[in-house]
Every structure is written in structure tokens, then in C-alpha cells.
Amino acid sequence: MLLIRPVLDLVKSLPVLLGALLFGHGELWQWVGLVFTAITVFTGVSHVLTSRYRITGAQVEWRTGLLSRKHRAIPRDRIRTVDVTSEPKHRLFSLAAARIGTGRHSNGSRHKDELVLDAVTIAEAQRLRTLLLHRKAEAVSDDAAAAAAAPPDQLIAAVDKRWLRYAPFTLSGLAVVGAVVGTVYHFAHELHFDPIQFSLVQAVVGHFADTPGWLSLVLAAAGLLVLVSLLSIGGYVLSFWNFRLTREPAGTLHVRRGLITTRSVSIEEDRLRGAEIREPLPLRLAGGARCVAIAAGLREGKSADKGGGLLLPPAPLARAHEVVAEVLGEDPVATPLVRHPRRALYRRLSRAVLGVLLLAAALYGLAWLGVLPDWPWQAALVLVPFAALVGWDRYRGLGHAFTGRYLVTRSGSLDRGTAAVRCDGLTGIVVERSYFQRRAGLVTLIAPVAAGKGKYEVLDIGAADGLALADRALPGLLTPFLTGDRDRG
């Protein structure tokens, strides 16, 4: 890290350093920029030189800093995750970063919820993961004979190169294209740069200007589709190549994935509260899905925290159900679901269509005031049939079931999810009714759980069926609210 950290700090300080060297011309602020860069590099080096950690029977401690010292400790009984990540800067020297987390959700302050050891050897990171998470193994002797007698890891799932055909349907490439276009436009605008000045751009624009409008639109759409597909395939390979889901003898699921940046996550099976199959619309049309664990302690966050509970990348739907059955011992997600009343269809249609109509009315008002042309509100009206189709598909996706151990719920159209949550993991039941739901005789059941998203909803279920389902999921909880009429009878 003494080789890596100064280079990274210089890259972060590059704008200040270049500004000082190119535009300073011996002025005072040139020296200020150089001193700032030197302090940044010195701070990073001192951080590496002074970092120490210690594991006791009660807690994990970490200390660093030369001028400003930091000392943090996390109780071992609060540790929920040890996320091992090895980026290219780490893999160059066989190192890894171990993120020891308490499992609190990302709406809190992240730096208070985890302790990062950056960087330790890969072997040490794996030792820490085993030591801090495999609590059941602490009572077992760790001599060579016991290690030899331990059963091997059980492979549950591994990536298949044929799954690359699902990559274009994840739309991750479209997000990359949007981000690149937005970044380039921002810098071009800030630098007052006109890309039309390039002869290549002028030739492309001139070619499209001489081509019929419908043909230009088809060519542009085809080019965008090819670019998005290639980027999506590249992103799939980088994120999910070498993916392996294994069950370790200590009762832990171990997920490892990544081509350039490798990531290793452990999920204790005792903390599993269920599983969810996600089917975004493009992936669903291609017959694919991905599988996510509902487990206590796993974050629902962004960047490095995102996907910590991933049990299967985009793959065939049947394979996702097989993984759920292997992980949970059964496949409650495949249970036939009970359809919701027709009144729920009217709510789905009205909400979808009304939103588009309100947008069209707002655009029409702006056009009437002369702020916008007429075509935006006309285009919004064209979306009404599509909005109605989405509303119908949302109703078609609604469903619920009760298997005895699991409460199963499904909802969504553009991003459909089917979740199976263990009833003994629920912290209660919330029965929610809006004014319009009361008029339609519908309710929404909210099942809070200290895992995954934190709550899972059964949308627009009939009032009587909803109360009966809640009473079956948590027997006796709603009894004081349901027995009044029986007692009088």
C-alpha cells in the first residue's frame, strides 16, 4: 500500500496540481497547491504506516493516524457481514479490503456502521471472514485432523457462459450510455466546446440530414441497441464472471464474483429470512430472472453495498427457482398465488392512466401559455394506451400465498418481484387502507422484517382475505381486533 496509496492520492489531487503547475507562474497560490498535494500524500502514507487492528474475544479494534488519531471498535456480537473486495489495485499485490459491518441499513451513516481494513492479504481476509462469522465453528478444534475431516464446500450455483444472452435485457448498458453522454455534455458545456466543429461529427450529421427521417430514426435506434448490448455484456462479464454460490460446512452461504474486481460475501443461514426473485420487464420477456437473499445484516445500499445478497445473477427463471429450493430447502416462490379482486384492476388502471393524463394536461397548459410547443402534450397522450397496458400488467402480477412457513407476495410490472418471507421472522403486521381503498373494500398488508428491504407488501387484497391472511401469518396477533363480532354472536 506504500506504493499504491501515494499514486491514488496524486490522482485525486491532479486537478489542483495541474492548475498550480500550469497557471501559477510563480504566484503564491501555486505553492499552496503544491503544499496541499504534499500534505495529501503524506496523510495517506501516514495512514498506511500507523494502521493497526486487533481482535479480542469481545470486539474488533482499529487504530490509525499520526497527527489526528482514530480509534474505533465494533462488538463481535454485532458483526453481521464481512465483505471481502479485491480491486485491481489490491490484486496487483495479492491484497484485499475487508469491510466488517454491523448490518445496519444504508439510510444511516455508513462510516459508523462498518470498519474497513484496507488492505490485508487475501489469506488474512478469508481468515477474518471465517473467524468473525462462523461462530458455530469456534467450539470446534482447529487442528489439522479436524480440518481434514471437515466436509468440502457444496456448490449450489456457478455462472454459465450461456447466461450472457440475458445481459442485454438488464439495460445496464443504457445506464452507462446515459452517464457517458451526460458527463460529456456537462464538460463540453463548461468548456464552451462545440462538438460540431469536428469534421467526423459534421460528416455524420450531414449523412443523417440527407437521409429520410424514418430511416435515420431506425439507424439511430439500431446503433444504440448494438452499443447498449455490447456494454451490457461487458458489464455482466466484469460483475458476474467467476460467480460461485457455495454452502460451507459451518452453515454459511458464500458468494464470490467479479472478473477484475472480485467480491466475496458470506451469509449465515441462521440469518436467512427468505428469498426474492426479481424479474425486470425486459429480463422477464427474455425468460430470465435474478435471485436475492432476504437476510438479516445485509445492506440495501449503493455502490459496493449493492447486491450483497445476490444469490444468482441474471439467468434462466427455472435456474433461479432451483437456487431458491437449494438455499431454503423448499421453493415457496413457486407456490401458486391467489389472484386479487377485480377492484384492484380498476385501481391499477386508474393510477397508471391518470398520471399520464395529468402530465399531458400540464404540458398542454405550458403550450397554451406559449412556453412549449404542442408536440409534448400530444406525445404524452400517445402514451395513454401504454400506461393502461402497464396498469393491466401490474394487476396481472399481483398475487399472494401462505405456505405455512412463508408469506409469499408478488407485485410490479416494470420491475416485478416475488418475495417469500418466513413468518417467524416477521416483527408484526401493518394493515393499511387509504380513502380510495376503503371505498373499494381493499387493504394493503405490510409485513415488516429485519432483513432485506425491511418490509414486504401485499397490495390491494380484499379486506376480509387480507385480515385472514394476516391472522394466519401471525396467529393471535389480530385476534383482539377480529373477535368482537364473534363474542357478540
Side-chain angles (χ1 to χ4, degrees), residues 186-234:
H186 173 75
F187 279 103
H189 178 72
E190 290 293 330
L191 298 175
H192 303 286
F193 173 74
D194 185 8
I196 301 298
Q197 297 175 356
F198 281 99
S199 58
L200 178 61
V201 176
Q202 292 177 353
V204 173
V205 172
H207 173 74
F208 277 98
D210 297 334
T211 306
W214 65 269
L215 183 58
S216 299
L217 185 61
V218 171
L219 292 176
L224 180 62
L225 180 62
V226 172
L227 179 61
V228 168
S229 299
L230 292 177
L231 290 175
S232 298
I233 292 174

Side-chain angles (χ1 to χ4, degrees), residues 345-421:
L345 171 61
Y346 306 144
R347 277 181 53 80
R348 303 267 79 75
L349 289 175
S350 61
R351 295 178 67 175
V353 174
L354 184 60
V356 177
L357 291 178
L358 290 176
L359 175 63
L363 294 175
Y364 176 79
L366 294 176
W368 183 72
L369 294 174
V371 178
L372 292 177
D374 289 333
W375 67 264
W377 70 266
Q378 296 172 353
L381 288 178
V382 174
L383 296 177
V384 170
F386 297 98
L389 183 62
V390 170
W392 174 80
D393 190 57
R394 289 188 65 195
Y395 167 75
R396 184 170 169 267
L398 286 180
H400 68 276
F402 178 74
T403 66
R405 292 185 58 202
Y406 291 91
L407 173 65
V408 185
T409 176
R410 184 178 67 189
S411 62
S413 174
L414 301 180
D415 187 15
R416 178 171 296 174
T418 307
V421 187

Side-chain angles (χ1 to χ4, degrees), residues 5 34 453 455:
R5 188 61 183 264
L34 295 175
K453 298 176 182 177
K455 63 178 182 179

Side-chain angles (χ1 to χ4, degrees), residues 155-167 233 236-237 239-245 256-257 289 311-316 319-320 322-323:
L155 178 64
I156 298 177
V159 72
D160 188 332
K161 62 183 180 181
R162 291 174 295 182
W163 297 351
L164 285 174
R165 67 180 185 270
Y166 295 105
I233 292 174
Y236 191 101
V237 171
S239 298
F240 304 122
W241 211 243
N242 297 323
F243 174 90
R244 288 175 63 86
L245 171 63
R256 185 183 186 277
R257 62 184 176 90
L311 295 178
L312 190 72
R319 189 70 182 96
E322 292 174 1
V323 169

